[in-house]
Amino acid sequence: MTAAVGSPATSGIATRPRTGLPAWVGRTFQLAPALVWIAVLVLVPNLFLLLYSFWTSSYGVVVPELTTANYTALFSSEVFWILLRRTLVIALVSAALATVIAYAAAYVIVRRFGRYKLLAALLILIPLWVSYLMRVFAWKIILGDNGFLAGVLRTLGFGPDATSLFLYSQTSMIITLTYVAIPYAFLSTYTALERVPPHLLEAAADCGAGAWTRFRTVILPLTRPGAAVGFAIAFVLVFGDYVTPAMVGGLDGTMLGTLVLQQFGPGSDWAGGSAVGITIIATGLLLLAVISLFTRLEARLD
């Protein structure tokens, strides 16, 4: 005889208490390594940087006295605003060029390379295996007075003065930073293009849409968020850079990262350098917030 619904036999089985740890404990335990990593390597150092920016420096020693003098001196400095404008222009141009080049490369690889696309993508990412310093130094050699471009210009009869257009200028900064940022922008754009459903393209083709129409109406709307993320990563990477300005920028290529290096190094003003560093971080976060808001609004409109 089967037990009736709601009988003590069945109700006892249904209300038997669960054994083991709650589900949230297991999830927290799984996320613990990532949370510790973020806390130790991201949150704690930036909290110290924020705290230092509100302290004072006296003869190279940080004094724990709360003050806003560092930000007051920074925002009232004409040099800071000149460097901020220059850094914004160089970072925006370099990030935009890197995103466009990375998007074009990712599109060709995904659409044309077939089963060899992973190998082609790996070739784009190989520069990440090389030291950042070595990559910048390579461009210093290429853009130098005795480099490859100088040799080509001399061969074409432009003379030695034409080489001054490259090294130690904002042009050399944009060229080098664009090259450095391309692999990072490529990662997000390649992933976005790889996830475009093939059946949507087939349906568009069946409706008579040409290659440009399929790209404009299907591929581009689906991959714009990935391209935006790639642009943001490239911008954040370039905006706080100090190695490239020191090696190929010269006086005209000085950026905010150079100012931070000088404050923490020869200037021995850790409090002032922290204020500049916090300003760089805040600018990067503001850009990320704007891009996130833009992509969300675009998704709602679509």
Side-chain angles (χ1 to χ4, degrees), residues 15 26 43 52 63 87 99 120 131 148-150 185 189 199 230 233 259 301:
T15 59
L43 294 180
Y52 274 35
V63 180
T87 304
T99 304
S131 169
F148 172 76
L149 291 180
T189 54
H199 67 272
I233 295 174
L259 183 60
L301 292 176

Side-chain angles (χ1 to χ4, degrees), residues 12 17 28 85-87 117 132 143 146 160 169 171 197-198 208 223 225 235 238 241 251-252 270 290 299:
T28 304
R85 287 193 297 268
R86 181 186 300 167
T87 304
K117 59 185 177 182
Y132 184 90
L143 300 173
N146 297 318
S169 65
T171 303
T223 56
F235 177 85
V238 170
D241 190 12
L251 184 60
D252 292 336
W270 285 29
V290 171

Side-chain angles (χ1 to χ4, degrees), residues 137-207:
F137 186 75
W139 274 101
K140 182 177 181 180
I141 296 175
I142 294 173
L143 300 173
D145 293 337
N146 297 318
F148 172 76
L149 291 180
V152 172
L153 291 176
R154 292 193 186 97
T155 303
L156 296 176
F158 285 95
D161 295 336
T163 59
S164 61
L165 297 174
F166 298 108
L167 194 60
Y168 303 127
S169 65
Q170 295 185 24
T171 303
S172 65
M173 289 286 298
I174 292 174
I175 293 174
T176 306
L177 290 173
T178 298
Y179 165 77
V180 169
I182 284 175
Y184 297 94
F186 177 83
L187 284 172
S188 61
T189 54
Y190 177 83
T191 303
L193 286 165
E194 181 72 12
R195 292 180 178 178
V196 174
H199 67 272
L200 293 181
L201 299 176
E202 295 173 358
D206 293 338
C207 293

